[in-house]
Amino acid sequence: VLVQPFLIHYDVRTALFGVYQAPLRLVAVVSALLAMRAARRLGVPALLNLACVVILIGYLGLGGVATLAAFSFFVLPSIAQGLTRPTIDTYLNHRIPSGQRATVLSAMQLCFALQVALFEPALGWLTDGLSLSAAFFFAALYFVLLMPPLLLLWRRARGESVALSAPAAAAP
């Protein structure tokens, strides 16, 4: 959401937007191709925890480094998205009976759409009303407040303790 405002802020010509954004998409694709290997090696819980930390570092870096070179921090959320989406989808596909799978996946998309309906306009308002850095720091705060409770609920639903599971014991 903030890639284009970032590029505009640093006076990057519109014609170059694709040049800047294409590597982010490529990184997400490569990460998705490596997702199952990473999930098997780290374990799903550790991979999801790591993705949260990586996203947080990315948004803190984008908010805290005031140069065009900070664009490189956009790579971190791209990696996290590439790793987590296939991992979560595979996890759910293996555990949800086929008769309920469409309902669960639809409910997930609805929840995602609802939070985006609030989150993205807030980012736009902060970018226009305060600063681009304020929007990135808000995004970092949003993830700090949202992700740990969601991960805790997910782990409790799996019947896990709060401590990280050993990678060998976790299933993708």
Side-chain angles (χ1 to χ4, degrees), residues 48-64 73-78 80 135-148:
L48 295 178
N49 290 333
L50 178 63
C52 289
V53 170
V54 165
I55 289 170
L56 179 63
I57 291 168
Y59 285 119
L60 289 174
L62 285 160
F73 282 104
F74 278 113
V75 169
L76 297 175
S78 292
F136 285 124
F137 287 134
F138 173 77
L141 178 63
Y142 182 79
F143 280 100
V144 164
L145 295 176
L146 181 68
M147 295 313 296

Side-chain angles (χ1 to χ4, degrees), residues 89-106:
D89 287 351
T90 300
Y91 179 86
L92 292 174
N93 282 331
H94 287 169
R95 285 159 183 83
I96 299 171
S98 61
Q100 297 172 329
R101 195 172 298 140
T103 302
V104 171
L105 295 176
S106 294

